[in-house]
Amino acid sequence: MLGLGLMGGAALGALLDAGVDALGFDPVGPGSDRRSSHGSCRIFRRFNFENPNYTSLSDEAHAGWIRLQTESGQTVLTETPVLEAGRSGSAMVASSRAAAIAKGRADPKMTAAQANKEFPAFSLPDDWDVVVQDGGAILHTEVVMKLMRARAGKRVIPERASFTPHRDGVSIRTASEEFFAERAILALGPWLGRALPRLGALLNVTRQAVGWFAPVSPDSVALGRFPIFILDRGPNDIVYGFPDFEQRGVKAAPHNHGPVVGPDDWGPQATDAELRPVGDALAALVPGAAGPIIDRDVCLYTNSAPADRLSDAGEEFIIDRWPESRLIVCSTCSGHGAKFAPAIGQRLARLATDPSYQAEPFFQLSRYSQFA
């Protein structure tokens, strides 16, 4: 297992739970701020506007998160409503609503006036579409990363590793040792395209600014009174955020793609100019959360290109065996994969151990003609 972020850590855990003799390699520790899974939190959504097939994936992942929470006695998920809102006709809001209804849930639609009354930090325009879905949560990623590493114990090699595919396996070399594996899973985050240049042509890495804003009305943005939110302000203008559950301010960021960068381009810190659109969105739509920036960070999204053999707008995950090799590749996230880690880890483990298993078609490389 090369790469032990959320996806790689979940896959290593699934392999070890199945009794497989597996090792994980990663020089970056859980507390580092230079990995796709860094930071204290991600959004867990049960109903996902990106793909209607994701509801079952969310359910599977939720079971895994609850299992980890029960076994560890630590908080992995903090249940929180998810408010999604956008201009009239927002495809994002309509897709989330349809996903909930398709699962037999009560219609999550709400008027803007109702939302503003229930969550006083908001001031959504009267003509905006709104849904408030249950089944959402704050995923405590920093806690999860530490738990995954602790559970794997001495099966983790905290060193940088290179790999060389062979007909009958994969050799893996660190600065001090060489190993030979029957198969190797590559969950390298933004570095995957560098490791496999042919795949790199289908991936791009973007810089994503993140800020924490001092709330004007602290009580109105506290956990229990304020939801996770995703606001669709128009093309390429989506802003998301969290309640102030850490007494650190309201975490908020753009979900649209930032500039393309390299996998090592984690600096400099997010600038005022990068975060100005987020501050403007809060001032206009969530005035209770608007205020000066008190902390900032940078995330890197690894985004997949649109497929040309399936109906796919891009940003789907790649979870598949690499052609003519004993490698398995995992390029997830595109900014929204973290919540699925237990389910994706199970898929990666099965790809490595069950020759008859295939991931869902919308995750396979064959959706691209160059891999068909």
Side-chain angles (χ1 to χ4, degrees), residues 38-50:
H38 84 278
S40 64
C41 60
R42 297 290 187 276
I43 296 172
F44 180 88
R45 287 178 284 140
R46 186 175 181 213
F47 307 111
N48 300 274
F49 57 83
E50 294 89 349

Side-chain angles (χ1 to χ4, degrees), residues 26-304:
D26 197 327
V28 181
S32 172
D33 62 357
R34 295 189 170 232
R35 61 160 64 253
S36 298
S37 306
H38 84 278
S40 64
C41 60
R42 297 290 187 276
I43 296 172
F44 180 88
R45 287 178 284 140
R46 186 175 181 213
F47 307 111
N48 300 274
F49 57 83
E50 294 89 349
N51 184 328
N53 297 298
Y54 284 172
T55 304
S56 58
L57 196 69
S58 289
D59 290 347
E60 185 181 337
H62 186 268
W65 292 130
I66 293 300
R67 185 163 53 249
L68 180 60
Q69 182 167 274
T70 301
E71 291 172 356
S72 68
Q74 296 194 46
T75 301
V76 170
L77 293 177
T78 298
E79 292 187 5
T80 310
V82 179
L83 181 151
E84 294 162 293
R87 298 177 186 276
S88 180
S90 165
M92 180 193 81
V93 176
S95 296
S96 287
R97 181 186 179 199
I101 292 171
K103 272 292 183 178
R105 303 301 275 247
D107 190 339
K109 183 178 180 180
M110 185 178 286
T111 68
Q114 289 171 324
N116 294 336
K117 182 178 180 180
E118 183 165 345
F119 305 111
F122 287 83
S123 182
L124 301 172
D126 289 342
D127 61 344
W128 271 38
D129 295 338
V130 183
V131 294
V132 177
Q133 59 164 285
D134 60 3
I138 299 166
L139 172 62
H140 298 277
T141 45
E142 191 169 2
V143 171
V144 168
M145 290 292 297
K146 292 176 180 177
L147 289 173
M148 285 180 171
R149 287 292 179 99
R151 292 181 78 205
K154 293 182 179 179
R155 308 306 292 178
V156 173
I157 310 293
E159 298 182 47
R160 189 179 305 278
S162 60
F163 66 92
T164 303
H166 301 282
R167 180 183 57 81
D168 57 345
V170 183
S171 61
I172 298 170
R173 183 186 293 274
T174 69
S176 57
E177 293 183 81
E178 185 169 5
F179 305 82
F180 191 82
E182 290 185 28
R183 287 177 173 77
I185 300 171
L186 308 183
L188 297 171
W191 295 278
L192 183 60
R194 178 181 290 172
L196 294 172
R198 185 182 173 197
L199 184 59
L202 298 176
L203 304 174
N204 67 69
V205 178
T206 55
R207 172 183 165 92
Q208 306 294 140
V210 180
W212 282 260
F213 294 79
V216 170
S217 175
D219 288 347
S220 71
V221 299
L223 185 65
R225 300 197 65 198
F226 187 75
I228 290 168
F229 64 88
I230 307 175
L231 305 176
D232 176 12
R233 301 208 302 164
N236 203 35
D237 190 2
I238 293 177
V239 172
Y240 70 89
F242 292 80
D244 182 10
F245 70 99
E246 300 174 292
Q247 287 71 59
R248 186 183 176 187
V250 171
K251 178 182 176 181
H255 185 53
N256 43 287
H257 294 166
V260 174
V261 296
D264 297 310
D265 295 336
W266 293 88
Q269 281 283 36
T271 65
D272 288 350
E274 288 177 301
L275 290 170
R276 188 168 295 117
V278 181
D280 291 345
L282 295 180
L285 301 170
V286 201
I293 300 166
I294 53 177
D295 203 354
R296 58 191 79 210
D297 196 4
V298 168
C299 287
L300 298 186
Y301 282 5
T302 304
N303 312 290
S304 61

Side-chain angles (χ1 to χ4, degrees), residues 49-51 54 202-204 255 257 302-318 331-336 362-363 367-368:
F49 57 83
E50 294 89 349
N51 184 328
Y54 284 172
L202 298 176
L203 304 174
N204 67 69
H255 185 53
H257 294 166
T302 304
N303 312 290
S304 61
D308 59 354
R309 298 187 69 244
L310 288 178
S311 178
D312 174 354
E315 302 182 18
E316 287 284 10
F317 314 145
I318 296 172
S331 180
T332 51
C333 288
S334 290
H336 67 101
F362 47 87
F363 292 150
R367 69 184 194 260
Y368 298 102

Side-chain angles (χ1 to χ4, degrees), residues 165-167 169-170 182-183 321-328:
H166 301 282
R167 180 183 57 81
V170 183
E182 290 185 28
R183 287 177 173 77
R321 298 180 180 92
W322 190 246
E324 300 177 1
S325 76
R326 296 289 191 98
L327 299 173
I328 292 120

